[in-house]
Amino acid sequence: YAPLGIYETADALSGPANGVADLMANQANHPIYIHCQYGSHRTGVSIGLFRVRYEGWSYSQAETEMLKYAEGSYPYDWHFEVVKAASS
């Protein structure tokens, strides 16, 4: 169990979300079940970071998937900033 927590800015979310992506990359931690408790899209940010950092996805591909599974809605633009920063 690795809680991500609730964060109000991209800077505050970046470290913990990258930590979740690192946990996901470690095969010793598999199988993995990841979810959001309150639907505030931390799961999408973590998966987006994993896709960009470990699977070679572009930011555009990760953003498309994040929007797809969030039913087209993200409450804060800074969620995308975290993933975009990892893709540069």
Side-chain angles (χ1 to χ4, degrees):
Y1 176 73
L4 180 55
I6 298 172
Y7 302 93
E8 297 298 326
T9 67
D11 288 340
L13 177 62
S14 183
N18 273 289
V20 171
D22 293 340
L23 286 171
M24 293 169 55
N26 184 342
Q27 292 291 317
N29 296 322
H30 289 203
I32 291 179
Y33 175 72
I34 185 169
H35 67 91
C36 276
Q37 185 172 357
Y38 296 109
S40 53
H41 308 297
R42 291 177 294 266
T43 296
V45 172
S46 298
I47 299 295
L49 284 168
F50 177 78
R51 299 281 198 209
V52 166
R53 291 181 55 212
Y54 292 101
E55 295 189 329
W57 283 30
S58 69
Y59 166 72
S60 178
Q61 290 171 302
E63 177 188 42
T64 297
E65 183 179 63
M66 289 167 70
L67 287 170
K68 175 182 175 184
Y69 290 105
E71 300 177 358
S73 159
Y74 256 76
Y76 308 109
D77 288 341
W78 56 262
H79 283 121
F80 293 104
E81 292 173 23
V82 174
V83 177
K84 193 171 200 171
S87 69
S88 338

